[in-house]
Amino acid sequence: VYIYTTVTHMKYALPSGDAGIIKTLDEVLYIACIHGNTVTCMTRDWKIKQIEIDDTEFVFKRALTARKFSEVRRLIENDKLRGESILAYL
């Protein structure tokens, strides 16, 4: 998974060509490091920020693409999927 920022969003891109928005940003951020669900970023003022992200959507899509149905089932059963748009992806 490739995670990157634009002026207004933090986004992801999958090798399958799928992409999406992780979160809307209040300011321009430059990604320095990603560890688990924590993204460490730098602002234009050189301040360090740590942001917790929800990776459920791209983990779900990646598992579907890789045909890891046990992982897909686990995500669905644990009620980690939010909204109808992700289920429409099926």
Side-chain angles (χ1 to χ4, degrees):
V1 177
Y2 178 66
I3 297 177
Y4 63 100
T5 59
T6 64
V7 174
T8 56
H9 294 103
M10 184 176 294
K11 298 182 174 187
Y12 69 87
L14 298 172
S16 64
D18 262 324
I21 296 172
I22 297 171
K23 72 181 292 137
T24 301
L25 302 174
D26 297 329
E27 62 185 320
V28 177
L29 296 175
Y30 302 96
I31 296 175
C33 176
I34 301 171
H35 184 72
N37 289 346
T38 304
V39 181
T40 304
C41 304
M42 227 172 24
T43 68
R44 285 187 171 171
D45 298 329
W46 295 88
K47 293 179 184 168
I48 303 296
K49 288 194 171 194
Q50 288 191 325
I51 300 171
E52 293 293 319
I53 61 169
D54 179 7
D55 63 355
T56 307
E57 182 177 338
F58 62 79
V59 168
F60 176 76
K61 289 181 177 181
R62 187 178 60 192
L64 266 178
T65 303
R67 303 181 64 79
K68 294 182 179 178
F69 298 120
S70 60
E71 177 74 6
V72 171
R73 183 178 180 169
R74 185 186 65 78
L75 288 166
I76 292 171
E77 287 177 349
N78 290 338
D79 196 31
K80 291 198 169 212
L81 298 173
R82 301 280 180 239
E84 294 179 16
S85 62
I86 193 71
L87 295 178
Y89 184 78
L90 292 172

